Amino acid sequence: MSDLRYSYYPGCSLHASAGEYDLSTRELFAALGIGLEEIPDWICCGATPAHNVDELLSLSLSAKNLALARQVPGDMAVACASCFSRLKFTQHILGENETKRQLVEKAIDGPVHLEHRVKHLLEILARDLGLDRLTQAVKKPLGTLKVACYYGCLLTRPTDVPNLDCTEAPTIMEKVIEAAGAQTIAWSHRLECCGANFTLSRPGVVLQLSHAILDSAKAAGADCIMVACPLCHGNLDIRQQEIEGVYSARYGLPVFYITQLLGLALGLSVEQLGLDALIVNPLPLLNERGLL
Amino acid sequence: MSRIGVFVCHCGENIARTVDVERVAGAAGQLPGVAFATDYKYMCSDPGQGLLKKAITEQRLTHVVVAACSPRMHERTFRKAVEQAGLNPFLCEMANIREHCSWVHEDREEATAKAIEIVGMLVERVKRNRVLPTITVPVTKKALVIGGGIAGIQAALDIADAGHQVVLVEREPSIGGHMAQLSETFPTLDCSQCIMTPKMVDVANHPNITLHTYSEIEQVDGYIGNFQVTIRKKARSVDEQICTGCGVCLTKCPQNKIPNRFDRNLGTRSAIYVPFPQAVPNIPVIDREHCTKFKTGKCGVCQKVCGPGAVDFEQEDRLVVEPVGAIVVATGFELYSIEEKPKGSPIKGYGEFGHGKIPDVIDGLTFERLASASGPTGGKILRPSDGKEPKQVVFIQCVGSRAREKGISYCSKICCMYTAKHTMLFRHKVHDGQAYVFFMDARTPGKGYDEFWRRSIEEEEAVYIRGMVSRLYQKGDKIVVMGSDIAVGVQVEIEADLVVLATAVQPRQGADALAQKLGISYDKYHFYSEAHAKLKPVECATAGIYLAGVCQGPKDIPDTVSQASAAAAKVMTLFARDQLEREPIVARVQERNCVGCFACMKVCPYGAIEEKEIRDRSGKLLKTVAYVNPGVCAGCGTCQATCPSKSVELDGYTDEQIISMIEAL
Amino acid sequence: MTVHHAKQKHDFEPKIIAFVCTWCTYAGADLAGTSRMQYPTNVRVVKFPCTGRIDPVFILKAFQQGADGVLVSGCHPGDCHYMAGNFHARRRFAAFRKLLEFIGVDLQRLQFSWVSAAEGGKWVEVVTELTEQVRAMGPMQEFKALALEEQWSGRLDTPELQEAYQAI
């Protein structure tokens, strides 16, 4: 049993299209003995429309969440790359700009709390828990699986805001999944944008960008892609079949959340990890590699 | 009793219009200690100075106050006149009643009252002025030049040609520096080797130059005119006196697959090597790290084949001490590397460009070696990964430079021009090749430079894309360059065969350590600081040390050579006299009162303060006190204000002088 | 930019002493002169090679000698002719200000500024401002009272003091 405890901010996606990310996160943390308590009454972080149309609104939403997080002991654990980015941005901007801070305090009708530490799941796994302890917890090493770790654009950018890892050459995802015994591949599009929320307004852009990512992962010899963001997952997984149609390609690359792959290594079941909810069916691959 | 003379100048109408000069002279005449006071239309004119000199003699004046313009204007003039009349020049002071009074006030009554007070202050001050002898320092007429690149070579040759001895110290086994690595040079495209090697040979043959290659500066003591420099001659394992440079050892050495650093690791060399065929001196060095003899004790082939018997495995580092009078620092530069930097380094590499792990992403200097006729490919442009001729080459400017987020905010100055040159050289050698250049701005100030740049576009058809590159990645045998074209506002992707990065120019590793040995200052990037950005661009703030070349800031060959010659000229000016004379405004320690806390030593910006032992006749140490070296002290007086026991005094600005001025109010 | 003030008589003309370095502020004041700018006649300049040479004692001495305001001015940080003298001065005076405040000197009477050789206008501004500021404050009394107290008044009556006083 670990003594780590976090106030959990799932964000809207994890309560909707990315239900399996939420499920697998809770199951994984329970299996690792890490305390995870959902923040009561948390609200949407506004990503990504809010900060593009009204900065004050966007900052206030995240500031409110930071304030709410204080109800639960522990640092704030965030699963979604977008929510993570907004929370980090809010801390960064309000820390530097006194005027904006005052405006936000007026808007949320309370003080702004910037000291609360916001952590992405990756940080918790790689640093707070530590790679060694992660390896110790592994029951079924993923040695046969070649994983393309996909960061997307928000986890590490811009320089000096999320401070998760090196902006242009991060390794944290690789380190975490290698700790579970998997092989990782070196590939070119780890940090390119998938098109994110353009998926609804300008799907053509998303198809083009996600196609390049899938193409590059496939060419590099990946068995599957691993992500840490529900939007990336939506574009690469849900849209994969459509992309194959448009670009006359064949990928068949299952797209896992990091928590799902780690859960597998810890011996959790398909149902516990919501693997059956993925659009590109991962079960044949996992069966073939003897991981089920 | 002092007999002070006060001379009030009208400066034509400039002072007399607002200040009643006669009243000032009258009031001055009443001041205690003043023996003579008068006014005159133009004190600085020949008759004015004549009047001053005559008064000194006739009135037997002991001190002089000239109430006129600013001392910044004419202090020198009047002190000279006073000296000609037989007084010590430092017994003359100027009361500034023009710039600080008549020109800035309109009310005649108030201005006159102020002028009288100013004169009163200076009269009190001058009473306490002491005779200050001019300080002379002997000069050793031998110069040290650190660094044997084009800057050091030029400076050494100039000084040696003027007839002075020069000691040239180079860290590498050969002189030549970066210029020896270049292929052709902008804006004339003359071959670098062709213009460089004759100069290198001149250095080797010059009777006034002592060359220490494969050597480093160990320690520097002393001050202007009188430095003691300790040079570490690293063990070459080859006796320089015996070796004939026949080169048989190089061909017989079995360890011959060592990457050649001179060729940017593109070619190979043996364990006993000269860095390049035109090396000066043409004497090999054994690279002990790679030599089989040093690693396992077996081999020794080079020793066996050496006819004259010059190979000496037992050789050790030697320390040589050279007394010199002046030092020219010309340590040059190295290129920024995009590789991942160790933790704690303020410089970040470029992860988005693959941290240097993509073999066909090279830097500008590597491209020079590819293009050089004496390079590892014989001047053919062949890419490092597979030796194929690249057809599409992308050049990326400002890699590291002007990139605050990477840790460097300055412009490296030479890259715009050398990239333009690279596109030309590429086109000359690969006729069906296409060069693309990603750039922020093209900076081409220099004679013939912009014309040259235009030529690369108009005649050699290089495609210039204004915008930055966000990512490079290997795709098959191509490198995909993702960038933006901000002129058109689109994203660009180019599949290149070779990518050349114009990486930033940085000072040499260890530039800071050398600066600390020399006692010169450097900026946050470790470029050495000149004494004044405009008016003293080659002098260091530390007297007797001069700068040449890129160690002071990025510059191209013409600028480097100019600065090197300028530094040499400064050295020759210093060597033109046997004794060095300087203004005697220096600090002096009252040894009786000094308690030896050395607070002064910590604040002195010049390192002028030393420890001095006071011993009695039997040699017993009584105490250690501070001693100000008058050759080094620049006279700022910071030590005096710092001294807790008031034991150090700045001549010309003693507490007594200052307080007397305050009390005169 | 000559500024012509309508001449106005004041009841109180403060005495201002300026301690300046020769390389920057003295030259800046010279420039104000060559540019024929106008400023009050109250300031008296004492020239130093560098602000690093200025001992806080001089400031005390100036106040004791009846100065109503003191200005200390040198090269801008980083521009020191002697590389670091003005930094030493800055640190020294930061501490010294605290001390002055502690002993009851109104810090409005003491001004530190950086005036470069190119800033004739700034010199005029600084001098004019300080003069007007000190004029509004009236004469500096604190040290005069102190100077009087320094003479033995009999109020501080101890045998040692008495003996010492008589020994003078």
Side-chain angles (χ1 to χ4, degrees):
Chain A
M1 198 61 195
S2 134
D3 49 354
L4 299 170
R5 287 178 62 95
Y6 296 90
S7 60
Y8 177 46
Y9 178 78
C12 311
S13 297
L14 274 79
H15 275 208
S17 62
E20 67 272 30
Y21 194 10
D22 184 43
L23 178 66
S24 56
T25 300
R26 290 171 192 276
E27 292 289 345
L28 173 72
F29 275 50
L32 288 168
I34 304 175
L36 206 58
E37 190 182 335
E38 188 162 336
I39 298 164
D41 284 335
W42 59 266
I43 56 173
C44 173
C45 73
T48 37
H51 63 270
N52 284 316
V53 287
D54 187 337
E55 193 190 17
L56 176 61
L57 170 65
S58 137
L59 294 175
S60 302
L61 289 169
S62 287
K64 184 71 190 172
N65 281 324
L66 287 168
L68 289 169
R70 287 161 49 84
Q71 302 170 79
V72 182
D75 294 343
M76 200 167 169
V78 186
C80 166
S82 258
C83 303
F84 175 63
S85 170
R86 287 327 304 161
L87 287 161
K88 284 285 204 176
F89 253 107
T90 302
Q91 288 185 319
H92 185 77
I93 294 170
L94 297 185
E96 289 195 333
N97 190 318
E98 189 51 34
T99 317
K100 287 181 182 171
R101 185 183 172 131
Q102 284 167 7
L103 281 171
V104 166
E105 286 187 339
K106 209 170 251 182
I108 65 168
D109 200 16
V112 164
H113 295 282
L114 298 179
E115 69 292 346
H116 212 79
R117 302 259 294 271
V118 176
K119 288 180 175 165
H120 191 270
L121 302 185
L122 279 167
E123 273 175 288
I124 295 171
L125 295 169
R127 306 213 180 102
D128 295 3
L129 182 72
L131 299 173
D132 292 342
R133 281 165 81 184
L134 195 58
T135 307
Q136 283 161 22
V138 168
K139 298 196 178 100
K140 245 195 288 176
L142 307 173
T144 48
L145 213 54
K146 281 189 200 154
V147 183
C149 297
Y150 175 65
Y151 291 80
C153 28
L154 290 178
L155 272 179
T156 61
R157 293 195 187 100
T159 310
D160 297 338
V161 177
N163 279 325
L164 178 70
D165 198 358
C166 169
T167 313
E168 297 294 348
T171 51
I172 188 166
M173 279 179 112
E174 279 86 353
K175 279 183 189 147
V176 167
I177 202 64
E178 280 167 6
Q183 306 171 40
T184 56
I185 57 161
W187 61 304
S188 56
H189 281 54
R190 300 189 305 152
L191 296 142
E192 298 309 311
C193 178
C194 67
N197 63 324
F198 279 142
T199 195
L200 297 175
S201 52
R202 296 181 66 185
V205 170
V206 170
L207 295 185
Q208 190 188 338
L209 293 172
S210 295
H211 160 241
I213 294 164
L214 291 167
D215 221 31
S216 155
K218 188 79 183 174
D223 294 328
C224 61
I225 296 178
M226 183 178 91
V227 299
C229 167
L231 268 176
C232 304
H233 189 270
N235 288 336
L236 297 178
D237 183 42
I238 303 172
R239 294 251 182 221
Q240 195 173 120
Q241 216 176 346
E242 190 183 350
I243 293 168
E244 288 177 337
V246 171
Y247 290 93
S248 310
R250 174 80 195 113
Y251 303 121
L253 284 171
V255 184
F256 295 102
Y257 287 107
I258 176 150
T259 45
Q260 291 180 308
L261 276 185
L262 286 178
L264 261 183
L266 262 65
L268 302 182
S269 71
V270 170
E271 293 73 28
Q272 277 174 302
L273 298 171
L275 289 170
D276 44 354
L278 300 180
I279 304 294
V280 178
N281 185 5
L283 302 178
L285 170 73
L286 298 177
N287 257 324
E288 183 201 319
R289 301 297 162 91
L291 293 169
L292 284 179
Chain B
M1 186 66 190
S2 48
R3 293 180 58 81
I4 300 168
V6 178
F7 301 83
V8 186
C9 179
H10 297 214
C11 195
E13 276 284 287
N14 279 311
I15 295 172
R17 190 184 300 120
T18 27
V19 171
D20 186 340
V21 282
E22 282 164 35
R23 233 168 80 205
V24 174
Q30 302 303 310
L31 293 170
V34 174
F36 178 77
T38 186
D39 59 281
Y40 185 72
K41 199 136 190 102
Y42 289 107
M43 277 310 301
C44 58
S45 67
D46 200 38
Q49 290 189 44
L51 179 139
L52 176 79
K53 288 182 216 166
K54 199 166 141 225
I56 291 173
T57 332
E58 287 180 358
Q59 303 288 332
R60 292 172 289 114
L61 298 179
T62 55
H63 302 81
V64 169
V65 172
V66 183
C69 51
S70 168
R72 296 167 52 84
M73 185 89 189
H74 274 315
E75 190 176 71
R76 201 176 279 252
T77 314
F78 291 116
R79 284 193 168 165
K80 217 164 154 191
V82 166
E83 193 175 18
Q84 284 162 2
L87 275 185
N88 180 279
F90 295 92
L91 299 177
C92 166
E93 290 285 347
M94 285 192 74
N96 184 346
I97 59 166
R98 192 178 75 171
E99 282 85 346
H100 287 192
C101 189
S102 74
W103 274 352
V104 288
H105 306 309
E106 284 173 333
D107 187 299
R108 193 171 167 84
E109 204 50 47
E110 283 184 11
T112 306
K114 180 176 176 180
I116 292 172
E117 276 198 42
I118 295 176
V119 172
M121 285 166 80
L122 269 304
V123 165
E124 286 307 315
R125 184 189 209 283
V126 83
K127 263 183 214 170
R128 290 157 180 87
N129 278 18
R130 287 194 290 239
V131 169
L132 298 180
T134 307
I135 296 176
T136 56
V137 190
V139 178
T140 308
K141 294 188 183 182
K142 185 192 239 190
L144 168 73
V145 177
I146 308 173
I150 184 60
I153 289 176
Q154 185 66 42
L157 285 174
D158 283 1
I159 299 167
D161 284 345
H164 303 296
Q165 291 294 315
V166 178
V167 179
L168 178 59
V169 175
E170 166 60 49
R171 179 155 70 175
E172 297 294 323
S174 166
I175 56 170
H178 281 121
M179 194 174 158
Q181 287 178 291
L182 306 183
S183 53
E184 284 156 22
T185 54
F186 62 81
T188 45
L189 291 186
D190 37 11
C191 146
S192 184
Q193 291 267 351
C194 314
I195 53 179
M196 184 68 176
T197 38
K199 277 188 182 287
M200 289 161 62
V201 174
D202 285 352
V203 167
N205 294 340
H206 207 295
N208 289 345
I209 299 180
T210 312
L211 185 58
H212 294 292
T213 54
Y214 209 50
S215 301
E216 289 186 45
I217 301 298
E218 183 83 2
Q219 195 184 332
V220 180
D221 296 306
Y223 51 93
I224 181 168
N226 299 278
F227 293 104
Q228 294 284 332
V229 182
T230 312
I231 299 161
R232 174 177 291 274
K233 283 182 80 85
K234 289 180 282 185
R236 215 178 176 109
S237 316
V238 174
D239 192 315
E240 288 178 69
Q241 308 304 322
I242 302 174
C243 175
T244 60
C246 68
V248 172
C249 51
L250 312 182
T251 57
K252 301 289 184 203
C253 176
Q255 273 292 357
N256 55 8
K257 290 278 180 287
I258 303 160
N260 189 352
R261 209 151 52 85
F262 183 83
D263 282 335
R264 306 290 288 168
N265 299 337
L266 291 175
T268 56
R269 61 162 170 82
S270 41
I272 184 165
Y273 72 105
V274 287
F276 54 105
Q278 302 82 357
V280 169
N282 188 20
I283 295 168
V285 172
I286 294 182
D287 168 5
R288 294 187 172 185
E289 200 188 321
H290 290 101
C291 171
T292 319
K293 175 78 181 171
F294 280 95
K295 285 202 297 194
T296 66
K298 296 187 191 99
C299 186
V301 170
C302 47
Q303 197 172 39
K304 283 169 212 145
V305 300
C306 181
V311 175
D312 175 8
F313 296 124
E314 310 296 316
Q315 205 181 57
E316 284 175 5
D317 288 9
R318 265 192 316 130
L319 295 179
V320 180
V321 179
E322 293 272 11
V324 297
I327 300 175
V328 177
V329 189
T331 48
F333 71 100
E334 60 191 42
L335 286 182
Y336 173 96
S337 146
I338 65 165
E339 280 167 35
E340 204 168 351
K341 295 293 190 296
K343 264 207 157 74
S345 164
I347 307 287
K348 295 177 188 145
Y350 275 71
E352 59 270 47
F353 291 180
H355 274 327
K357 289 183 188 129
I358 308 174
D360 292 327
V361 177
I362 60 174
D363 63 15
L365 208 48
T366 312
F367 189 86
E368 294 286 346
R369 294 312 298 149
L370 286 178
S372 170
S374 60
T377 57
K380 291 201 186 77
I381 307 289
L382 303 174
R383 59 185 208 166
S385 64
D386 53 10
K388 284 190 192 145
E389 190 177 72
K391 298 293 180 197
Q392 306 256 348
V393 179
V394 171
F395 295 88
I396 304 175
Q397 303 253 261
C398 299
V399 176
S401 312
R402 303 175 72 197
R404 257 173 304 176
E405 69 283 5
K406 298 293 185 190
I408 291 180
S409 48
Y410 58 84
C411 166
S412 291
K413 201 172 174 184
I414 58 172
C415 327
C416 287
M417 286 304 291
Y418 81 60
T419 298
K421 177 191 75 179
H422 285 173
T423 66
M424 289 188 186
L425 295 180
F426 171 59
R427 185 65 161 220
H428 293 171
K429 291 172 191 260
V430 183
H431 299 301
D432 56 345
Q434 177 63 55
Y436 299 90
V437 183
F438 281 92
F439 76 120
M440 291 206 256
D441 307 285
R443 297 184 164 178
T444 57
K447 195 170 164 186
Y449 283 14
D450 204 63
E451 296 90 319
F452 182 83
W453 176 63
R454 300 281 343 158
R455 220 166 82 210
S456 77
I457 299 172
E458 287 161 7
E459 291 173 27
E460 313 288 355
E461 296 174 335
V463 174
Y464 270 71
I465 303 164
R466 192 185 287 271
M468 307 280 284
V469 171
S470 65
R471 184 166 296 277
L472 299 177
Y473 65 88
Q474 185 92 49
K475 185 180 177 191
D477 69 342
K478 300 275 186 186
I479 300 150
V480 179
V481 181
M482 301 171 74
S484 59
D485 183 338
I486 61 165
V488 193
V490 296
Q491 301 295 310
V492 206
E493 252 186 55
I494 297 172
E495 295 204 344
D497 300 313
L498 180 70
V499 175
V500 184
L501 308 176
T503 44
V505 165
Q506 286 182 284
R508 286 273 187 198
Q509 287 277 320
D512 49 341
L514 178 63
Q516 284 153 15
K517 283 177 194 163
L518 289 163
I520 61 177
S521 51
Y522 49 91
D523 67 13
K524 68 171 173 173
Y525 303 110
H526 299 173
F527 284 119
Y528 297 144
S529 306
E530 63 282 4
H532 189 283
K534 282 136 233 155
L535 301 180
K536 288 185 175 177
V538 301
E539 294 101 316
C540 281
T542 308
I545 303 185
Y546 307 93
L547 300 173
V550 186
C551 64
Q552 178 254 345
K555 51 180 73 67
D556 56 18
I557 296 168
D559 282 0
T560 296
V561 172
S562 311
Q563 199 189 14
S565 286
K570 288 285 170 192
V571 172
M572 291 178 232
T573 312
L574 179 66
F575 288 177
R577 304 173 70 175
D578 300 325
Q579 300 262 307
L580 200 61
E581 267 182 29
R582 45 154 311 175
E583 216 187 21
I585 307 297
V586 291
R588 194 202 303 266
V589 176
Q590 304 290 335
E591 288 169 0
R592 206 159 34 145
N593 298 348
C594 177
V595 296
C597 71
F598 299 104
C600 48
M601 197 184 251
K602 292 188 196 104
V603 298
C604 178
Y606 300 92
I609 296 171
E610 300 162 8
E611 289 183 15
K612 180 178 170 184
E613 293 178 344
I614 307 276
R615 293 178 183 276
D616 65 9
R617 281 183 203 175
S618 62
K620 200 177 114 219
L621 182 65
L622 297 177
K623 65 172 180 175
T624 312
V625 296
Y627 167 74
V628 179
N629 186 326
V632 185
C633 176
C636 67
T638 304
C639 52
Q640 183 170 6
T642 306
C643 178
S645 62
K646 300 277 160 254
S647 314
V648 57
E649 261 197 341
L650 181 64
D651 279 340
Y653 291 92
T654 60
D655 281 353
E656 202 191 357
Q657 284 169 305
I658 303 296
I659 287 177
S660 69
M661 283 179 84
I662 300 171
E663 284 181 337
L665 281 173
Chain C
M1 46 162 265
T2 317
V3 187
H4 291 271
H5 291 290
K7 196 68 212 168
Q8 175 182 359
K9 286 284 162 208
H10 299 279
D11 296 337
F12 168 56
E13 286 297 343
K15 253 189 202 176
I16 313 281
I17 298 192
F19 297 123
V20 306
C21 84
T22 188
W23 301 99
C24 288
T25 306
Y26 195 92
D30 276 2
L31 179 66
T34 38
S35 317
R36 309 296 201 276
M37 296 169 180
Q38 299 291 310
Y39 56 87
T41 53
N42 308 56
V43 67
R44 302 288 176 271
V45 173
V46 180
K47 181 166 71 99
F48 290 87
C50 177
T51 41
R53 166 69 187 92
I54 302 172
D55 194 319
V57 166
F58 300 149
I59 298 172
L60 288 176
K61 192 78 196 166
F63 281 130
Q64 273 185 338
Q65 288 297 315
D68 302 297
V70 172
L71 171 66
V72 177
S73 180
C75 307
H76 285 268
D79 291 352
C80 181
H81 181 80
Y82 302 99
M83 299 192 283
N86 56 357
F87 287 125
H88 290 300
R90 184 164 68 176
R91 292 188 71 165
R92 196 181 294 145
F93 294 132
F96 181 62
R97 276 176 76 89
K98 288 249 153 73
L99 179 70
L100 274 185
E101 195 176 18
F102 175 74
I103 61 172
V105 174
D106 192 332
L107 293 184
Q108 301 263 11
R109 295 188 182 277
L110 179 59
Q111 169 124 27
F112 298 101
S113 68
W114 316 114
V115 174
S116 78
E119 294 176 324
K122 186 170 175 198
W123 167 254
V124 171
E125 240 170 68
V126 168
V127 168
T128 312
E129 245 170 55
L130 183 63
T131 307
E132 294 316 320
Q133 190 173 308
V134 172
R135 193 199 304 286
M137 293 170 74
M140 163 96 179
Q141 297 292 5
E142 292 87 339
F143 276 44
K144 282 169 195 149
L146 203 69
L148 278 179
E149 242 175 67
E150 264 181 15
Q151 316 289 328
W152 183 57
S153 63
R155 267 183 296 149
L156 297 168
D157 196 5
T158 65
E160 291 91 323
L161 257 179
Q162 203 150 12
E163 193 186 323
Y165 189 67
Q166 267 148 16
I168 295 171

